[in-house]
Amino acid sequence: TPTPAAVPSATPLATPTPTPLPTATATPTPTPIPTATVPVVLQVLVEPAQVQLALGASTTLTIVLTGAQKGLSGYDLTIALEPTGVAEIVEVSFPDFGLTRTSAVPSASVSILIADLNRRVEPAAGAQTLATLRITVRSTGTASITIQVKAMDDEQGGGMSPQVRGAKITGG
């Protein structure tokens, strides 16, 4: 006779345990990192800051304005080579400002007067060329190129007092 098959015993099914829901945690708000603001510096400078040339050689230097946040209506500058005799300014040129005037060249110094009638230097315009100088070395030695700002006004007529940075030219 056949042997009865074993009947599995009925095991009650386990009741699932509910999974606990995660509790909400506050997401931290990131603290803003302060960014360093670079101060805008109003400056008139000579580029390049240092030049070395053979006797009789010439180079071009640029007078640059930076940081004119309120634009430029005009300026009166004197550029000088000191001591005299090492080099001289032989030519001066400008962007199209509208009205420009210079003292006679060649010379060891030049006075430059402009009115920006054509509004070339608008507020926050970045670095702007004020003048370009052609300089020729006349003797061996080193001369400082200095800038004197006699007057400079923004587009609202307010006076501007820029920092100045000259240059050096070495001949020989």
Side-chain angles (χ1 to χ4, degrees):
T1 71
T3 320
V7 176
S9 64
T11 309
L13 293 175
T15 306
T17 307
T19 306
L21 295 174
T23 55
T25 56
T27 304
T29 304
T31 304
I33 298 172
T35 55
T37 48
V38 178
V40 176
V41 177
L42 180 63
Q43 189 174 36
V44 175
L45 52 102
V46 180
E47 289 184 344
Q50 190 162 349
V51 178
Q52 185 163 358
L53 296 171
L55 288 174
S58 295
T59 191
T60 301
L61 300 175
T62 305
I63 309 302
V64 177
L65 172 67
T66 64
Q69 295 299 302
K70 294 182 180 179
L72 176 72
S73 65
Y75 65 84
D76 182 358
L77 304 177
T78 298
I79 313 297
L81 301 169
E82 298 170 353
T84 61
V86 174
E88 67 183 350
I89 301 164
V90 297
E91 183 181 336
V92 181
S93 60
F94 307 93
D96 184 21
F97 285 118
L99 176 65
T100 58
R101 187 175 64 182
T102 67
S103 57
V105 291
S107 180
S109 69
V110 64
S111 293
I112 302 170
L113 179 68
I114 74 102
D116 188 13
L117 302 177
N118 294 336
R119 301 179 62 92
R120 283 192 47 83
V121 183
E122 291 295 307
Q128 296 290 313
T129 296
L130 296 180
T132 302
L133 309 175
R134 184 128 186 98
I135 298 184
T136 301
V137 171
R138 299 295 184 208
S139 69
T140 301
T142 300
S144 294
I145 302 166
T146 62
I147 303 169
Q148 178 188 10
V149 179
K150 295 179 181 177
M152 184 173 279
D153 296 319
D154 63 29
E155 287 193 2
Q156 289 81 39
M160 299 164 64
S161 298
Q163 297 177 4
V164 295
R165 186 192 82 197
K168 296 241 184 254
I169 187 163
T170 303

